[in-house]
Amino acid sequence: MTHPQLKPTMSRTMAAPAGSGGFASRHIGPSTREIDQMLATIGVASVEELIDQTVPSSIRLQRLLRLGTPLTESEAISHLRSLASKNEVLTSLIGMGYHDTLLPPVIQRNILENPAWYTAYTPYQPEISQGRLEALLNFQTMVCDLTALDIANASLLDEATAAAEAMLLARRASTCDSATFFVDENVHPQTLAVLRTRAEPLGWSIITGPPEQAANAGRFFGALFQYPGTFGDIPDLRLPIKALHSAGAIVSVAADPLALTLLAPPGEIGADVAVGSTQRFGVPMGYGGPHAAYIAVKDTHKRHLPGRLVGMSVDGRGAPAYRLALQTREQHIRREKATSNICTAQVLLAVIASMYAVYHGPEGLVDMALSINRRTATLAAGLRKAGYRLRNDTFFDTVTVIVGDEQQAIVRRARAERLNLRIIPGNAGSNKAIGVSFDETTTDRTIEAVLRAFGATNPIERTTVDGGSSIPNVLRRRSPFLRHAVFHQHRSETALLRYMRKLSDRDLALDRSMIPLGSCTMKLNGTTEMLPVTWTEFNGLHPYAPAEQARGYAEIFESLEAALCEITGYDACCLQPNSGAQGELAGLLAIRGYHRSRNEAQRNICLIPSSAHGTNPASAVLAGMEVITVRCDLKGNVDLDDLKTKVDQFANRLAAIMVTYPSTHGVFEERIRELCELVHEAGGQVYIDGANLNAQVGLARPGDYGGDVSHLNLHKTFCIPHGGGGPGMGPIGVKAHLAPFLPRHPLDESGVAGPVAAAAHGSASILPIAYLYVLLMGSQGLHLASKIAIVSANYIACRLHAHFPVLYKNARGRVAHECILDPRRYKDSCGVTVDDIAKRLIDFGFHAPTMSFPVPGTLMIEPTESESKAELDRFCDAMIAIREEIRDLENGRYPLAQSPLRLAPHTVADLVTEDWNRPYSRTVGCLPGSLGYADKYWPPVGRVDNVYGDRNLVCTCPPLDDYATHKE
């Protein structure tokens, strides 16, 4: 986490072969000729002239970044291969919520490695997201069935974060006025560590103990139990849950989803909430992630459920359609009143987990679970026969063996057998133990190797029953699950392949067209960058494997941290936060820790401009801060007069300001240094949101012009794909004085600050993507990428300003890497809304820009550096054509209700219907502009009725004939 010297691989001097053009020329969309044409439209003679007019000279970096010249793609892969070879993949039987698994190749090739799935965006536009929405509804159905609870969301970041969200939900829903939360002593240690991190700034205390003590250890607003426990035992939680309920507590159970195929589910033993990880449903361990966590609740708590929730609705023809439900809970709407800062889900991994359940079906999952349980019972019998005492008599897949002073000798023998076991320290030698967890990859040879490590030489005696008495009879599952047809129809690879293809064909992702979302930076996710994600040397490691087995990872982490520090001007970097929102929280907690270390705990005011991302105020509240809003002026800048007033008013309590730069309004604010100085003079810290870093790399560094901490969205600026809404990564860079307060390893209790994620390096297996991006681009490539992103945004602004006024520009008439178009006048002139424009863009084959943020009724566009001029022109032409359709409405050509805009998007059903009675032709509606049949993307549903979906909330897979035809 310190700033090491840059590795030779980041500072090499050998240039790419002459004439190859290098990776940068493939990453950056416009050619040199096209850039010249764009500059002519903008009205400048050179890229440098435009950058001088856009980026304030007071913050410009006056040198190239010290990252060296780029590697070629073949050199980069060779380099990654050499690093991968330094990782040693042993059979890890450590458990603790992480298990080896077998990802079916048909899912690996057609989901994980398929850009139709991994380049898609969050499904805020449901008409072009029906495929991934259906896959997520399958995920929610799977979770609800396994947990026997009523409603689940579309995934969370990891099990520890999900547990923290359950704790927050419990505080909101509980009738008990206590500020204490009970945690089962058998909860995974990383989960407990994250819970402590999250509880402390909110003033909550945590008490741990065995489950049976929950009823008499005090009053609690909530409780969390592990099921099975971290040491393998299967507790009977029915009485503790009943006692907690009688005192007004909300009870959560962290449950292994595969174990729930054999165990009585949380909902049936009384739990209000269930959380856990679906990692072992086909998702590699990846040295910690990414993995899709789950959370499910009783129907009573559905409006407290954090994150994204997929629900059913209908489209304009009454046909069933999927959508994100209850979006009024989102942070950009609720801001400081938000109940969670969760923004990124783990959509790509949730899709994989759901397809794994589709692939195996309930019978396959039960057979797998029984096989694991039998092998665990066989191991238990062998260990007992060898004279060992087991800590747990009940188990699903994990046994804990009391070994005393033999611990190190057993561990050494296990390593010789190429096994990693869990080392459990004891407060006395006799209490030392070793944990062994089995999984679907476990074979009889594995059992024999484990027994040899324990010194047992007798042949194994296979257990033929279902683990004997290892699962208490009263806790055996008797209820069915995964009854929906989708979990029974796709047994052959042919059928599953076609199902996944059918779903991806319903979606619009970056592999089809430009996704011009402001503040989301949807750019090329290079294939070369993606290749190492599926290498066993990276995705086969357990996050708590010994450090010497992850030397290749260590080199990547060190070099990537150094590169990010060089790019941002910060002194230290932490790669742990596994989303942008978690990075915000980690940065604010570092600021909080710094103030408290200086005996200034009263500093709890966080100033946030009105234009800020919604996660900013939500994160500040979760960090124990009070949010005070700072106005923006008519030009979109932070109002420095209002800032001065509030800095003076709260000087002694000022903790921080959170500011996005360039601003969310798409402008480099000229007085950013002055803003930072004002806050610093009052004793506060400056948090610079890194969402818009793509405008700055190589041009300016937040750490140079006043930032103390920033989170960096690797899923934006550094090319980790959005994956349909996740995974993301949000590491933070900090100045030296904040470095001691960076998140610690979740299993290291000696650090000053607690962890914010379950694994030390968050979603480690996707970090090579960002690392490769830096290697492939080099100093000059990264510099040029930022410049072309600014060129592209200004080109769009110039082409569209006469049709849709650009809301904010700087004093020289320039925008940064994004711009806000203002169509609000057309609502006044003819009733056209921003939704109408967004849906009509689908007919042209485009995802809509960001809608109504940060200014209601507007469109925020970020073209990125990766789109060619031809694609930018295609988008501009579509927007201009839409403006002409608006003009038709203004001139009375059609009534709004019967216009192409209001009835968009148009589907195949519109094309073939016999009763076409609209005042415009089918060609105008279905094939606008120069689109032909061969190039047309056909949305699978018409405009989705959001109100109907929220009034009739259905978030699992029902038979389609359960839906009555929708009537207006």
Side-chain angles (χ1 to χ4, degrees), residues 885-906:
E885 292 182 347
I886 294 171
R887 186 168 285 111
D888 287 341
L889 287 169
E890 291 172 327
N891 294 334
R893 182 174 179 181
Y894 318 118
L896 177 62
Q898 289 295 307
S899 69
L901 282 154
R902 183 53 53 89
L903 296 175
H906 295 77

Side-chain angles (χ1 to χ4, degrees), residues 55-134:
V55 185
S57 59
S58 62
I59 68 167
R60 285 287 298 275
L61 183 64
Q62 300 302 317
R63 61 170 177 83
L64 272 179
L65 294 170
R66 298 189 179 100
L67 299 174
T69 53
L71 299 182
T72 66
E73 292 179 72
S74 60
E75 289 171 337
I77 288 300
S78 176
H79 170 63
L80 259 289
R81 284 288 186 194
S82 70
L83 292 180
S85 69
K86 297 180 182 181
N87 290 335
E88 188 178 10
V89 182
L90 274 63
T91 298
S92 284
L93 307 177
I94 299 169
M96 299 173 67
Y98 299 93
H99 305 269
D100 206 355
T101 184
L102 299 174
L103 173 58
V106 65
I107 299 176
Q108 175 174 321
R109 173 65 62 88
N110 295 285
I111 300 285
L112 181 58
E113 297 175 351
N114 185 347
W117 288 96
Y118 69 68
T119 69
Y121 183 61
T122 305
Y124 287 130
Q125 295 291 332
E127 296 84 0
I128 56 177
S129 308
Q130 290 296 295
R132 58 190 178 277
L133 284 167
E134 179 170 325

Side-chain angles (χ1 to χ4, degrees), residues 370 442 474 535 710:
L370 287 172
T442 300
V474 295
W535 295 353
S710 295

Side-chain angles (χ1 to χ4, degrees), residues 182 209-220 223 225 238-247 249:
F182 181 84
E212 57 270 19
Q213 286 187 7
N216 53 27
R219 296 178 67 247
F220 310 104
F225 299 102
R238 293 173 297 172
L239 288 179
I241 290 174
K242 185 176 180 180
L244 286 161
H245 280 162
S246 67

